[in-house]
DNA sequence: CGTCTCGTTGAACCCCATCAAAGCCGGTGG
DNA sequence: CCACCGGCTTTGATGGGGTTCAACGAGACG
């Protein structure tokens, strides 16, 4: 949820099929901290994340920031509005992106398989954003952070011993701007989870989920 | 902003063109309070609002509710995820909806003009939701309510004397669930605007914008 | 005219933001 | 290799914006 595309990698099919169909466009790389595109840029291509991670952000004039989504491998990013990008896209790590010519995707004049995958990706994006609405509008800080960690674990987690572990490639400030909180609250909440043995940290950017059930309970019920 | 489709009715073209192209499906009506569809329903058609208004809602198990969007004339509602509706859709007033067979829209096998309009609507939906994220995540109560009133005025406002006036067809609770606030806060904030002569009310459900500039200022700068 | 739902207003509390400062880590250069 | 530096993270103390609980008012409808 609230990830650009879906957790279900059935649609890995998208990437596999399409690289064969029209990979006229070479994969691109962006170093950590670099922008892939910026709000207002004309959209001639959209991207599928191959490796690494990106963040999609929107700014208010006064500097307040909202992160719309993170993009992980398999996610499609860069859906345009009126031919323009509507967010900034910045690399969280060194990232590889597979570009697709947008005009052919949009019009349906190009490869129909590719086109359908594009439409499906857009529809999944809408659904994911709807879930994120509920989180931003109606969940407490604990619920938000727990939901976020749970999603990340599902998305990026790998078994290590008896537990699942995953990297948090983004900063606390990024998490805060994604969840509509402050860095301090995010940090405090994560510390709380650590102290109550729900998760463990290895450095600030590697999380081990010790009690997935507890995490899930906090994500969906708690009010503190 | 944060309306299902767009304020720009250039794409009124969609409705006009398509009613001629395949109006095999008759417009449907729903009375105030009735559901058009529910979360989980199989999607075989999506709708364009012709007259009246609907709300799209998502529920948490414990009863907390988030309104994803309101649908006004010209808006397309019912984008599916994995073939299912992902929100409830309920009529706020008596509403007329123009249904479109979804299968033909999705696959691109049907009318290409219609298909392209569908894709454009989905992309606008994504952009609108991105704006709403900023509001839910980063704006204060006053900013939220002012932004909402401003958008409604742009969308539904009609000149009355020297001012613009519009109907608030939804309840205070609906507005609260849309903005991520409580009914009390919405009511208090609206009262504040009324007392400071930014707006006037005629009953609880008709708003007159007295000072659009002030409303805009509150929507974008204020921190109270 | 009575009832009922919705809206408004008041008072108290609490979660989270804000302000502040101390760790911690990675990087850099001596 | 180590000491210093700068940014990020963590933790603490305090205050405020919005929720919560509660009661009153007002319009809608029979």
């Amino acid at each position: 949820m609230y990830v650009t595309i879906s957790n279900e990698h059935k649609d890995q099919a998208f990437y596999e099929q399409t690289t064969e169909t029209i990979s006229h466009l070479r994969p691109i790389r962006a170093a950590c901290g670099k922008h892939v595109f910026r709000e207002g840029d004309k959209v001639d291509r959209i991207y599928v994340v191959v490796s690494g991670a990106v963040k999609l952000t929107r700014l208010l004039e006064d500097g307040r920031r909202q992160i719309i989504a993170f993009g992980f491998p398999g996610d499609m990013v860069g859906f345009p509005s009126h031919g323009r990008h509507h967010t900034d896209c910045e690399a969280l790590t060194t990232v590889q992106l597979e570009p697709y010519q947008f005009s052919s995707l949009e019009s349906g004049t190009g490869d129909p398989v590719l086109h359908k995958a594009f439409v499906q990706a857009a529809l999944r994006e809408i659904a994911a954003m709807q879930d994120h609405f509920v989180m931003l509008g109606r969940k407490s800080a604990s619920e938000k952070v727990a939901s976020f960690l749970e999603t990340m674990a599902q998305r990026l987690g790998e078994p290590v011993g008896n537990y699942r572990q995953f990297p948090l490639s983004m900063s606390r400030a990024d998490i805060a701007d994604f969840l509509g909180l402050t860095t301090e609250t995010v940090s405090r909440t994560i510390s709380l989870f650590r102290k109550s043995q729900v998760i463990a940290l290895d450095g600030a950017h590697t999380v081990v989920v010790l009690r997935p059930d507890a995490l899930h309970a906090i994500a969906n019920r708690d009010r503190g």
Side-chain angles (χ1 to χ4, degrees), chain A residues 88-105:
Chain A
D88 290 351
C89 176
E90 190 181 327
L92 284 172
T93 64
T94 298
V95 67
Q96 267 189 300
L97 300 161
E98 181 91 359
Y100 292 93
Q101 201 66 43
F102 179 67
S103 54
S104 57
L105 284 181

Side-chain angles (χ1 to χ4, degrees), chain A residues 26-42:
Chain A
R26 297 264 185 76
I28 67 162
R29 291 177 143 276
C32 176
K34 297 290 181 190
H35 280 263
V36 177
F37 54 78
R38 289 171 193 273
E39 182 177 348
D41 286 355
K42 260 199 167 167

Side-chain angles (χ1 to χ4, degrees), chain A residues 15-167:
Chain A
Y15 178 61
E16 284 158 7
Q17 286 171 347
T18 53
T19 42
E20 311 234 335
T21 324
I22 46 157
S23 55
H24 307 128
L25 301 174
R26 297 264 185 76
I28 67 162
R29 291 177 143 276
C32 176
K34 297 290 181 190
H35 280 263
V36 177
F37 54 78
R38 289 171 193 273
E39 182 177 348
D41 286 355
K42 260 199 167 167
V43 176
D44 49 3
R45 49 184 61 179
I46 65 178
Y47 304 90
V48 172
V49 179
V50 176
S51 67
V54 298
K55 59 182 175 187
L56 303 176
T57 63
R58 266 183 81 70
L59 256 70
L60 291 184
E61 295 72 14
D62 61 9
R64 280 176 288 172
R65 206 174 55 131
Q66 176 70 37
I67 293 189
I68 305 299
F70 295 110
F72 298 108
D75 290 342
M76 186 180 283
V77 299
F79 293 105
S81 168
H82 299 288
R84 302 264 167 189
H85 282 299
H86 204 242
T87 65
D88 290 351
C89 176
E90 190 181 327
L92 284 172
T93 64
T94 298
V95 67
Q96 267 189 300
L97 300 161
E98 181 91 359
Y100 292 93
Q101 201 66 43
F102 179 67
S103 54
S104 57
L105 284 181
E106 179 193 30
S107 62
T109 54
D111 181 344
V113 171
L114 187 55
H115 177 74
K116 180 158 184 179
F118 162 70
V119 171
Q120 290 304 317
L123 291 174
R124 276 200 306 279
E125 176 83 3
I126 290 171
M129 292 175 92
Q130 289 176 349
D131 287 334
H132 197 167
F133 275 158
V134 177
M135 190 156 79
L136 282 176
R138 287 291 172 225
K139 289 196 172 185
S140 70
S142 300
E143 289 175 306
K144 286 178 177 179
V145 175
S147 299
F148 175 70
L149 293 176
E150 198 182 11
T151 302
M152 293 292 285
Q154 286 168 10
R155 192 70 202 279
L156 302 176
E158 297 196 348
V160 169
N162 294 325
Y163 304 117
R164 273 178 95 75
Q165 169 177 317
F166 61 90

